[in-house]
Amino acid sequence: MKLPSAAVAASLVCLIIAPVFAQTAPTTAPAAPTSTVPVPATKRVTCLATTQSLKGQDKRDQMQLCMAQARVDCLKQAIDQKVVGEPRKTFIKTCVGGDATEQQ
């Protein structure tokens, strides 16, 4: 029985470490201000992780609140970077980690 639990533990370690390696920035030419890419671990993933221990209506409520806050944070980031128009919509969807209309 130790083998399956060891495999699960190893998988969890890989899930924790993988985003760290994915966040390393290449040393090539810097990107233009409007083409910045948010951190690979999306805010949706963070919200899912924080509501994992909850159930039922509490889980739905907390997930909805977390996603609303994530959208506000991404909008603030887009405003700071002066992203406007259609690129702003795309930036926010990418930053949040999914379709921005998926609130229900």
Side-chain angles (χ1 to χ4, degrees):
M1 276 310 213
K2 288 187 179 183
L3 181 60
S5 57
V8 171
S11 298
L12 289 174
V13 169
C14 289
L15 288 174
I16 293 169
I17 294 174
V20 173
F21 291 118
Q23 291 177 8
T24 58
T27 57
T28 58
T34 59
S35 65
T36 57
V37 178
V39 178
T42 63
K43 295 180 186 296
R44 177 179 302 281
V45 173
T46 304
C47 289
L48 286 170
T50 58
T51 60
Q52 189 174 14
S53 64
L54 301 173
K55 295 193 184 296
Q57 189 63 44
D58 288 337
K59 182 174 186 167
R60 287 187 292 273
D61 290 343
Q62 288 303 313
M63 183 66 179
Q64 203 168 21
L65 285 171
C66 184
M67 290 302 295
Q69 184 61 50
R71 285 185 194 91
V72 169
D73 292 344
C74 290
L75 177 60
K76 287 180 180 179
Q77 188 177 350
I79 291 169
D80 289 344
Q81 295 179 8
K82 301 195 184 325
V83 179
V84 294
E86 192 62 34
R88 180 182 282 188
K89 288 181 184 179
T90 305
F91 177 85
I92 292 172
K93 285 180 184 179
T94 304
C95 177
V96 171
D99 188 12
T101 61
E102 209 175 281
Q103 193 169 359
Q104 287 88 21

